[in-house]
Amino acid sequence: MPEFHLQTDGADIVYDVRNQPVTDGIRPLVMIGQPMDASGFSALAERFPERTVVTYDPRGLGRSTRSDGSVENRPEVQAGDVHAVIEALGAGPVDLFASSGGAVTALALVAAYPEDVVTLVAHEPPAISALPDAVVCCAGL
């Protein structure tokens, strides 16, 4: 499986492309997570042999490095990295499966770059703190 490197503002992002080339008429499926890197999607990606599947290591995780000096993982910064990967593919818009912190990144991505994504499955975004009744209903979680 080919590994690609992409320089973004403050990071070297590493991503993988399975089942190349991108097939005409079938959108690439991008899978993102956080704090999980691309290796966490290996088994799931194998279930889509008919599609181009793209996974990546978020900045500062796995094979991706950061040079911005930050240790924060801000969704809008991560969304910019995913946008850069989609642009580098030259095959957008994409379908996107995003899990955990990756789902938060994906929501930031569709807010900032709605033209990048046709379908988003935001799987288990950790959004308890965004709920108005989180203190009442979810204390101790």
Side-chain angles (χ1 to χ4, degrees):
M1 151 185 54
E3 174 182 292
F4 297 88
H5 289 256
L6 177 64
Q7 293 294 319
T8 64
D9 186 26
D12 177 44
I13 302 299
V14 180
Y15 65 98
D16 305 305
V17 180
R18 295 168 174 84
N19 308 326
Q20 281 190 296
V22 175
T23 306
D24 288 337
I26 300 177
R27 288 184 299 277
L29 174 59
V30 178
M31 297 180 180
I32 64 172
Q34 193 168 348
M36 177 173 51
D37 63 23
S39 66
F41 288 107
S42 295
L44 183 58
E46 289 175 9
R47 300 215 177 252
F48 296 93
E50 73 286 356
R51 296 193 69 176
T52 299
V53 178
V54 180
T55 55
Y56 92 117
D57 293 350
R59 65 173 53 209
L61 297 172
R63 302 162 294 167
S64 291
T65 58
R66 49 189 326 163
S67 58
D68 61 3
S70 179
V71 294
E72 285 186 312
N73 291 312
R74 298 184 52 199
E76 58 276 359
V77 173
Q78 300 286 344
D81 292 343
V82 176
H83 171 70
V85 169
I86 292 169
E87 280 193 324
L89 292 172
V94 302
D95 292 330
L96 182 60
F97 174 80
S99 185
S100 189
V104 176
T105 295
L107 293 170
L109 175 72
V110 298
Y113 307 99
E115 68 283 355
D116 281 359
V117 179
V118 173
T119 303
L120 167 61
V121 176
H123 176 253
E124 296 185 350
I128 289 176
S129 63
L131 301 173
D133 59 350
V135 174
V136 175
C137 79
C138 306
L141 291 180

